[in-house]
Amino acid sequence: MSTRVAAKTTKPARGRATAPGRITFVGSGPGDPGLLTLRAEQTIAGARTVYTDPDVPQTVLDMVGTALPVEPVETDEDAADATTAKGRKGEPAVRNPATVAPALGEPAEVAKTLLAQARHGLDVVRLVAGDPLSSDAVLAEVNAVARTQIAFEIVPGLAPATAVPTYAGMALGSAHTEADVRGEVDWAALAAAPSPLVLSATAEHLADTASALVENGLAPQTPVAVTAQGSTCKQKTVEATLATLNEAGAGLPGPLVVTVGKVVGQRNKLSWWESRALYGWTVLVPRTKDQAAEMSNRLRAHGSIPMEVPTIAVEPPRSPAQMERAVKGLVDGRYQWVVFTSTNAVRAVWEKFIEFGLDARAFSGVKIACVGEQTAAKVRAFGIEPELLPTGEQSSLGMLEVFPPFDDVFDPVNRVLLPRADIATETLAEGLRDRGWEIDDVTAYRTVRAAPPPASTREMIKSGDFDAVCFTSSSTVRNLVGIAGKPHARTIVACIGPKTAETAIEFGLRVDVQPETASVEDLVEALAAHASRLRAEGALPPPRKKPRRSRS
């Protein structure tokens, strides 16, 4: 688990009274961040000082402090001690000001640390896996805090014992029995309790659990399901019996949820989480950091594990003069149309508007065209409805099919503003000129090759550890191959549109998936449909064999 700066007790200035802070115990649920309560999500996002359990997933820890204003990084030492995000060229690097540290020691020691922080005026969040009051250790911390005058709050979390069986496709019904077999257990009472049994355990407890339940009356052939990493995209459920439980569950990582009883037989009908189209796939997302979120979220919805590897970085043009003249031209009525070819172009123009104190009214009297739905959505986010989108292929060629020719009777102005990347092709500009328009082809931003990913990621790409890769532009293809090498032949290649596919083929890649409409949503849906079809045909690429370790 990666942590940010370890929290340090901050002492108030001498002679100045400090109001004590509040301690909030927050349940992070079973693992899926989507199962956080709204209150938990808000508390985590606004937290500055957090002490966490080791079982809290990284996806939840990544949410800590995201609602706080970022802080500039002033020195190299600060950068080494904090999670930083580098700004565009000429802008300062920034960091999340929150601190995350592990909750170390016995419950009394953890409570002492929390109270020390609160007495010095800090609001402290104690982040707990599952539900705070379902853990005896955390309950001891809560009781220790409750004996003081420090204010505290408890934000419940969804308990793994109820959520994980649901994610594994087992209906517990209105009566079931929960127990934690990692501590002292009354085995006779547990074996006689209403079924199904839902047990919290680790792999080391499985053998003793099975033996004790059989010794106290349960049949050795009683069905059992063991679920590891429940409710995450790494969830794995194995079925066994009490007789084979230890062997089946050996090596499963982390806390386990063991479900015992007839409900295990329902999994073939109710297993919804692990049966999704891309479940368990690792998918490479070669997008800039600020553009990867939508695709990654859609991939997770289909059960895959996205890994974001930025292949391009977006920077301002070397000289701002072109863009400044273009914005002045918009205000002065120089243009009949503005054609946006990417969300980056929309963002670049809007940033220039903000710089000059302008807003959406600067587009008054100007028609807006967008080459795709993603770009149009970005324009709509600023309160503007585009007049023109392609009806077919969402690309430069698709735009040219629907773009009207210049009419000297009906068009008062014959000029089109085309704010684009520095490496954009001439297809669109030439096509618009052929239709009688004068074009101001302006460099709104530059795309530069990102730094190479870590060596481990490069090895995954070359050796086939990625099940699929989703390319969203020709530049992502070129740059990925340039900084990390070609994806392995077993990796399924999905391209957002024909130009991207053409580039992939030029680099010797086999294009397996291309949606009819060039959008992130359709690209992910097409990949999911392709995977489902291959699975139905029994034609999925075989799993990569792990290299054998050489014997010493």
Side-chain angles (χ1 to χ4, degrees):
M1 178 188 70
S2 66
T3 57
R4 301 180 194 141
V5 185
K8 300 177 182 178
T9 303
T10 304
K11 295 184 178 181
R14 184 173 296 178
R16 182 182 300 171
T18 301
R22 174 184 294 267
I23 298 172
T24 305
F25 295 85
V26 179
S28 67
D32 180 0
L35 297 181
L36 286 169
T37 66
L38 180 59
R39 175 63 176 152
E41 185 175 345
Q42 292 172 339
T43 303
I44 293 169
R48 285 186 176 272
T49 305
V50 175
Y51 289 89
T52 180
D53 279 348
D55 298 335
V56 175
Q58 188 63 42
T59 49
V60 174
L61 293 177
D62 289 341
M63 301 168 66
V64 172
T66 52
L68 301 174
V70 295
E71 295 178 350
V73 176
E74 298 180 354
T75 68
D76 291 340
E77 292 181 0
D78 288 338
D81 289 339
T83 300
T84 63
K86 189 175 182 181
R88 288 183 172 180
K89 188 174 182 180
E91 296 180 0
V94 295
R95 68 177 174 185
N96 184 326
T99 62
V100 180
L104 301 175
E106 296 297 318
E109 297 176 73
V110 175
K112 183 178 179 181
T113 301
L114 302 178
L115 289 166
Q117 295 278 27
R119 288 185 176 117
H120 286 113
L122 297 178
D123 289 330
V124 185
V125 169
R126 174 69 173 94
L127 194 52
V128 180
D131 178 72
L133 298 190
S134 296
S135 164
D136 291 340
V138 179
L139 180 58
E141 297 174 24
V142 173
N143 285 330
V145 171
R147 288 193 290 268
T148 71
Q149 299 299 311
I150 298 296
F152 70 94
E153 180 180 350
I154 300 173
V155 180
L158 195 57
T162 53
V164 172
T166 299
Y167 270 62
M170 293 173 286
L172 299 180
S174 59
H176 67 278
T177 302
E178 298 178 15
D180 191 335
V181 299
R182 293 170 291 188
E184 295 185 5
V185 181
D186 184 341
W187 292 107
L190 182 60
S195 179
L197 308 180
V198 184
L199 313 177
S200 299
T202 66
E204 289 72 25
H205 298 90
L206 297 181
D208 290 342
T209 297
S211 298
L213 290 175
V214 170
E215 289 173 3
N216 283 276
L218 293 188
Q221 297 308 310
T222 302
V224 181
V226 186
T227 305
Q229 296 178 297
S231 81
T232 73
C233 287
K234 294 183 179 180
Q235 174 178 305
K236 181 178 180 180
T237 302
V238 296
E239 295 184 29
T241 64
L242 286 177
T244 61
L245 175 59
N246 185 48
E247 180 182 357
L252 288 177
L256 307 176
V257 174
V258 181
T259 308
V260 183
K262 295 180 180 179
V263 296
V264 174
Q266 301 171 347
R267 291 198 69 246
N268 61 340
K269 296 180 180 179
L270 301 182
S271 180
W272 60 279
W273 183 253
E274 295 177 43
S275 61
R276 291 173 296 165
L278 300 176
Y279 187 78
W281 282 30
T282 303
V283 180
L284 177 61
V285 181
R287 302 207 79 191
T288 54
K289 292 180 179 179
D290 60 340
Q291 292 180 320
E294 181 192 0
M295 178 178 287
S296 294
N297 289 337
R298 291 187 181 280
L299 287 167
R300 289 189 191 97
H302 284 287
S304 69
I305 304 166
M307 182 176 289
E308 299 164 1
V309 178
T311 59
I312 61 174
V314 177
E315 294 187 357
R318 297 187 186 279
S319 171
Q322 263 194 333
M323 278 289 286
E324 290 175 357
R325 285 196 298 268
V327 172
K328 185 176 184 299
L330 279 172
V331 176
D332 293 342
R334 176 179 171 83
Y335 302 108
Q336 177 77 354
W337 285 91
V338 178
V339 180
F340 288 114
T341 59
S342 69
T343 57
N344 285 325
V346 179
R347 185 184 297 110
V349 170
W350 197 258
E351 288 175 353
K352 192 60 69 173
F353 274 23
I354 294 173
E355 181 181 329
F356 290 151
L358 302 173
D359 57 28
R361 289 172 292 183
F363 285 113
S364 177
V366 181
K367 296 180 180 179
I368 308 295
C370 299
V371 297
E373 285 293 343
Q374 298 300 121
T375 306
K378 190 70 175 179
V379 170
R380 293 187 186 104
F382 296 121
I384 304 166
E385 183 63 34
E387 279 82 6
L388 186 65
L389 281 84
T391 55
E393 179 183 305
Q394 295 192 353
S395 65
S396 295
L397 292 175
M399 174 58 70
L400 290 174
E401 288 179 1
V402 298
F403 205 90
F406 172 67
D407 188 316
D408 57 5
V409 175
F410 295 103
D411 294 315
V413 181
N414 70 338
R415 192 167 293 273
V416 174
L417 174 60
L418 189 57
R420 304 191 294 167
D422 57 332
I423 60 172
T425 65
E426 293 300 313
T427 303
L428 184 56
E430 291 176 357
L432 293 174
R433 290 190 186 99
D434 291 341
R435 283 157 177 75
W437 295 96
E438 295 291 330
I439 307 300
D440 279 0
D441 195 352
V442 174
T443 298
Y445 62 95
R446 293 184 300 124
T447 55
V448 298
R449 181 176 290 181
S456 58
T457 303
R458 298 198 300 271
E459 180 59 27
M460 289 178 66
I461 293 171
K462 294 177 182 178
S463 61
D465 283 340
F466 285 103
D467 298 284
V469 56
C470 293
F471 290 115
T472 54
S473 67
S474 293
S475 59
T476 59
V477 178
R478 287 190 293 267
N479 290 344
L480 179 70
V481 174
I483 66 176
K486 288 171 54 176
H488 191 276
R490 76 171 294 275
T491 301
I492 292 173
V493 176
C495 294
I496 198 168
K499 288 292 183 183
T500 305
E502 182 180 316
T503 304
I505 293 170
E506 289 174 359
F507 278 88
L509 301 179
R510 180 197 68 249
V511 177
D512 303 290
V513 178
Q514 181 183 320
E516 293 183 4
T517 304
S519 71
V520 168
E521 178 180 1
D522 289 316
L523 177 61
V524 174
E525 292 300 322
L527 176 61
H530 182 73
S532 296
R533 185 166 57 253
L534 291 179
R535 184 175 288 107
E537 297 170 354
L540 281 173
R544 178 178 175 269
K545 294 181 180 180
K546 299 295 182 183
R548 295 181 179 179
R549 295 182 179 178
S550 59
R551 295 180 180 178
S552 56

